[in-house]
Amino acid sequence: MWGTRSVLLPIATLLLGGCAGLRHRWHGNLSGGELPSSESQALPADATALGHFFRGQVALSRNDPEGALREFEAAVAADPSASFLRVRLAGLYVRAGLLPKALEQCQLALAAEPDNPEALGLLGGVLSSLGRDDEATAAYEHLLRVDPESQDPYLYLGALYAKRGETDRAVATLKKLIAKNPGSILGYYYLGRVYAGARQPDKAEHYYLEALKLSPQSELILTDLALAYELAGRTEKAIELYQKILALNPQSTLVRRRLGGLYVGQKRLDDALSQFQELEKVDTDPREARTKIGLIYLEKGDPDRAVTEFNLVVAAEPDNWRVRYYLGSAYAERREIDQALDEFVKIPSSSEYYVDARIQQAYLLQKAGRLPDAVHEIEHALSEKPDNPELMGYLAALYRERKDLKGAITLLERMVARFPDNDRYRFTLGAAYDEANDKTRTIEQMQRAVELNPKNAAALNYLGYTYAEMGVHLDEAESLIRRALELEPEDGFYVDSLGRVYFRRGDFRRAVEELERAVELAGDDQTVAEHLGDAYERVGQPRDALRLYRDALGGGGL
């Protein structure tokens, strides 16, 4: 069979531009141990403050940050001596982008409790985002004196020292982190970055490879190591890593640009040398470090901390559309849909993140049951980017969901006209034609998809199954389906297609063999179950056929 009959273009990945996608999570914690809780166990002594505190907690649980902010402001006003309340309020100010107010609350908390570790850590982040690096450094150094086992400050201090050109201090700081925690992925990773920024590629490679031992599929580390190889002139090693990254994340635009440039460079050595000279410098700016750490938190499934890190960056750089996109993604992970939509809508059409932001915005609206709003957003985005295939494909999927098959086909035809050599677009158009019962055009598009890409297993199977259901070209149908199975031998729907070819030929015993295997692979798919029931009926097993028909009609498992 075809598999999924409603063929949708995939949602754009959440993380682009050389950063790790959510599909590839880090193994183990950021620091190698349990992450400290951001929740204080203290409670306000003042009864009024206690009431506001609990109402603020409820507001947070209901994804109402504005209400929480009001309640914590009232709690602090009722009990100004409670340092932990001021720290919580400062964190909410950070989320709201109110860094001066966050700074004031951190300072007041520390005036009452100079060694409060949460206040010191948040103070360092706020000061760094305000560009007050010397004061941020002092705050983190103070934090390490108070809590020498705290590990994140080593990372921030290393980045701050590197930004000031103090490579030796940055290296010494990060090595202390590794000595305390040999399993610190980011400790090794940022040592690699510091050495790369200091133009010491051999040492950079050593520490990146150590980080990869702990997280072999990290796109962040693989990308930076490949850049280090480029800077060192080791083009083949860089190409090898870029290919590995694209196998993990085919939508990485940064990696595709790099790899394309290297391929061109291999043919023209002078141009290659020019490309090497123009390579971006390895960035040790703390804001970039904070962005990377936020992404790690997001990959680890800790969107709360990711939101804080990304808010600190966009508060300092409101036009950093990349980080604002990450912030919207983090809010979406927290299921704070309104906040996520607010961040995505701020990204302008001039940004390279505009298309992905609009698709994510529409996806959230669609999942919230607001299909008309989702359609409106993509239609508007398409008016800004009229030739964008991702927008056209996603809008076609939305049209199909609202039962506007004609509109979907019109858009898909436009995609194919604009990109005639894309086999995936032709496959999707062919599936839409099939949904409209236009077998002739279905076959035309599937044939063209196979011509363009003989290894398009889905198109091979779809064309073969279509022939089988029509009862025509059965030998060719079997050949097409077997080619698909050579590429994906464990696909139950492809095995089902082969079973249907045998069924159409009247070879019902062979059909039963293949269809029993298809049911095993495809699980409780009703269509596959019906096909096996048909075959059982033909070989004189009516009870088995009846059981499968009942299961298929009831939608239950087999």
Side-chain angles (χ1 to χ4, degrees):
M1 66 181 293
W2 296 302
T4 303
R5 283 176 163 73
S6 179
V7 182
L8 305 183
L9 291 185
I11 302 301
T13 57
L14 289 178
L15 298 178
L16 303 178
C19 296
L22 294 176
R23 300 163 297 180
H24 312 298
R25 299 193 181 276
W26 287 70
H27 302 291
N29 286 333
L30 173 67
S31 59
E34 289 297 318
L35 288 168
S37 173
S38 62
E39 300 289 337
S40 172
Q41 298 302 311
L43 292 175
D46 180 87
T48 301
L50 182 63
H52 288 297
F53 170 84
F54 281 126
R55 284 192 289 273
Q57 292 290 82
V58 170
L60 285 173
S61 71
R62 293 176 176 174
N63 296 326
D64 179 12
E66 293 181 359
L69 184 57
R70 288 193 298 270
E71 294 297 339
F72 276 97
E73 284 176 335
V76 167
D79 189 358
S81 64
S83 298
F84 87 95
L85 284 178
R86 291 192 181 277
V87 175
R88 294 295 302 281
L89 180 56
L92 290 170
Y93 280 142
V94 167
R95 288 186 57 173
L98 302 172
L99 293 191
K101 287 189 174 183
L103 176 61
E104 179 185 21
Q105 291 302 318
C106 288
Q107 291 169 332
L108 288 170
L110 289 167
E113 191 179 342
D115 292 336
N116 183 309
E118 286 189 80
L120 286 167
L122 192 53
L123 176 66
V126 172
L127 288 168
S128 178
S129 291
L130 290 171
R132 296 161 63 172
D133 290 346
D134 290 344
E135 294 171 83
T137 299
Y140 286 131
E141 289 172 341
H142 185 175
L143 174 56
L144 286 178
R145 289 194 298 272
V146 170
D147 183 10
E149 298 306 312
S150 181
Q151 296 183 36
D152 286 359
Y154 286 99
L155 298 170
Y156 296 127
L157 276 174
L160 286 165
Y161 290 147
K163 181 182 179 183
R164 297 195 305 203
E166 300 178 36
T167 301
D168 290 342
R169 291 188 73 185
V171 167
T173 300
L174 292 168
K175 284 186 174 180
K176 286 180 183 177
L177 170 59
I178 290 173
K180 287 180 175 292
N181 179 13
S184 173
I185 298 169
L186 288 180
Y188 288 109
Y189 170 65
Y190 272 99
L191 267 171
R193 286 181 65 83
V194 169
Y195 278 123
R199 297 298 188 268
Q200 299 183 48
D202 290 342
K203 291 182 177 179
E205 178 188 26
H206 171 76
Y207 286 103
Y208 283 139
L209 290 174
E210 289 297 315
L212 284 171
K213 288 179 183 178
L214 299 170
S215 183
Q217 293 189 334
S218 168
E219 188 178 338
L220 287 171
I221 303 170
L222 289 167
T223 300
D224 280 17
L225 177 56
L227 288 169
Y229 284 144
E230 285 196 57
L231 289 168
R234 299 171 66 181
T235 306
E236 291 297 332
K237 292 290 291 183
I239 287 175
E240 178 183 340
L241 283 183
Y242 286 144
Q243 290 172 335
K244 181 175 182 179
I245 295 166
L246 288 175
L248 298 171
N249 178 15
Q251 298 182 359
S252 175
T253 57
L254 169 66
V255 171
R256 289 201 179 278
R257 284 197 298 267
R258 291 288 188 187
L259 186 57
L262 291 180
Y263 283 150
V264 171
Q266 285 183 319
K267 297 178 182 178
R268 295 182 292 179
L269 184 57
D270 290 341
D271 288 342
L273 291 174
S274 175
Q275 289 295 323
F276 295 148
Q277 292 167 355
E278 294 298 321
L279 287 176
E280 296 174 0
K281 297 180 179 179
V282 177
D283 189 3
T284 54
D285 188 309
R287 286 177 295 194
E288 184 61 23
R290 195 173 294 283
T291 299
K292 297 283 189 181
I293 289 173
L295 287 168
I296 298 302
Y297 281 137
L298 198 56
E299 289 183 287
K300 282 172 48 59
D302 190 352
D304 293 349
R305 287 191 170 189
V307 163
T308 297
E309 300 296 342
F310 296 147
N311 266 308
L312 284 168
V313 176
V314 298
E317 294 182 86
D319 293 343
N320 189 327
W321 308 123
R322 175 172 65 103
V323 178
R324 196 170 289 282
Y325 177 80
Y326 298 154
L327 178 58
S329 301
Y331 278 133
E333 284 288 296
R334 284 172 52 87
R335 291 182 172 81
E336 296 183 39
I337 304 306
D338 290 340
Q339 288 87 344
L341 295 174
D342 286 345
E343 296 303 329
F344 288 138
V345 80
K346 292 173 184 176
I347 298 174
S349 59
S350 58
S351 167
E352 65 178 307
Y353 291 88
Y354 174 77
V355 169
D356 292 302
R358 289 299 174 268
I359 288 176
Q360 291 302 324
Q361 183 183 13
Y363 177 74
L364 293 174
L365 291 168
Q366 179 188 11
K367 291 301 180 183
R370 298 166 59 183
L371 182 60
D373 291 335
V375 169
H376 173 77
E377 291 299 333
I378 298 299
E379 286 177 338
H380 175 73
L382 197 56
S383 71
E384 296 285 334
K385 305 284 185 180
D387 289 329
N388 186 275
E390 286 79 15
L391 291 172
M392 284 189 279
Y394 193 62
L395 184 56
L398 293 177
Y399 282 165
R400 292 173 75 175
E401 183 171 337
R402 75 174 188 184
K403 310 304 181 185
D404 182 6
L405 185 57
K406 182 178 179 180
I409 288 175
T410 299
L411 269 174
L412 293 170
E413 288 174 338
R414 181 175 155 192
M415 282 176 63
V416 167
R418 179 68 179 83
F419 305 97
D421 294 332
N422 189 299
D423 60 295
R424 293 182 296 108
Y425 298 165
R426 287 191 177 274
F427 174 86
T428 307
L429 176 58
Y433 281 142
D434 192 46
E435 194 173 344
N437 295 315
D438 190 338
K439 295 294 184 183
T440 299
R441 290 186 176 181
T442 298
I443 291 170
E444 288 175 356
Q445 293 302 320
M446 293 301 167
Q447 288 174 332
R448 184 63 180 135
V450 170
E451 290 172 5
L452 290 167
N453 180 8
K455 293 187 177 181
N456 187 327
L460 288 165
N461 175 72
Y462 207 114
L463 182 56
Y465 182 79
T466 300
Y467 284 152
E469 290 303 283
M470 294 173 67
V472 300
H473 309 307
L474 295 181
D475 290 343
E476 183 181 355
E478 180 179 355
S479 175
L480 289 164
I481 295 164
R482 288 193 180 280
R483 285 168 61 188
L485 283 167
E486 287 176 6
L487 296 166
E488 299 178 24
E490 299 301 313
D491 190 297
F493 300 114
Y494 298 177
V495 176
D496 171 80
S497 298
L498 184 59
R500 291 298 286 177
V501 170
Y502 288 128
F503 184 89
R504 291 296 186 184
R505 283 177 174 159
D507 190 346
F508 302 119
R509 290 293 178 187
R510 290 287 299 276
V512 165
E513 291 176 8
E514 297 298 338
L515 291 169
E516 284 179 337
R517 181 165 171 257
V519 167
E520 181 180 345
L521 291 170
D524 60 357
D525 184 88
Q526 295 181 15
T527 303
V528 177
E530 290 174 7
H531 289 168
L532 179 56
D534 293 343
Y536 277 149
E537 190 174 10
R538 292 301 186 96
V539 297
Q541 296 177 230
R543 290 184 179 179
D544 290 329
L546 182 60
R547 171 178 58 84
L548 287 165
Y549 292 147
R550 285 174 175 169
D551 287 337
L553 289 172
L558 298 175

